[in-house]
Amino acid sequence: MNNAVALEYLEAGRWDWLGRQGLVHGDRMIAVVARTEIDYLAEIPRGRIEVRTSLESPSAEEFDEDDLTFRARFRQRLHLPEVARPAVDALVTVAFLDADQRCLVSMQDFLAASAVSS
């Protein structure tokens, strides 16, 4: 697979992670990639791949509903079946936008809009 396909897998993994948290893609408040740091560690042939996604920042201890947070950082890895070491290791930073106003919004606004949508 080429690097563009790896990025598509990572995006699908983030949306799956958000869905598992009860958050849905909103029409107005959206999460967009602001930065991607990616290491390609092994060749990925055609076939099954596992995407592992975790929220790295803000952690539960760092997150404050009364404070403003404008970015979230996800650690994502692509794994081949039965291979311990990841084939791709990525740190993806997302920002939150109001699609109508075309401006940055806080993570708290994004979460509130996602909760209303679900």
Side-chain angles (χ1 to χ4, degrees):
M1 97 171 47
N2 69 31
N3 58 345
V5 174
L7 291 170
E8 289 178 16
Y9 277 111
L10 295 173
E11 182 166 1
R14 285 190 307 281
W15 285 115
D16 181 67
W17 186 92
L18 287 168
R20 290 174 190 262
Q21 309 311 307
L23 303 172
V24 296
H25 188 291
D27 292 330
R28 184 167 176 192
M29 302 290 181
I30 58 175
V32 296
V33 173
R35 179 180 172 87
T36 302
E37 300 172 46
I38 190 165
D39 291 311
Y40 298 94
L41 305 170
E43 181 179 355
I44 302 175
R46 291 186 185 269
R48 228 177 91 215
I49 189 95
E50 180 181 327
V51 182
R52 298 180 189 172
T53 303
S54 62
L55 180 65
E56 191 166 278
S57 175
S59 67
E61 296 80 30
E62 294 172 330
F63 186 74
D64 182 354
E65 287 184 26
D66 296 326
D67 200 4
L68 294 180
T69 304
F70 290 95
R71 293 179 185 247
R73 195 169 26 215
F74 292 91
R75 172 66 63 190
Q76 294 189 271
R77 294 183 172 107
L78 299 183
H79 283 265
L80 299 169
E82 301 177 22
V83 177
R85 181 183 164 142
V88 171
D89 183 20
L91 187 60
V92 180
T93 303
V94 298
F96 308 97
L97 294 178
D98 180 317
D100 291 342
Q101 299 289 325
R102 308 306 288 174
C103 65
L104 191 63
V105 296
S106 70
M107 183 178 190
Q108 290 79 355
D109 290 336
F110 173 81
L111 293 173
S114 295
V116 169
S117 298
S118 56

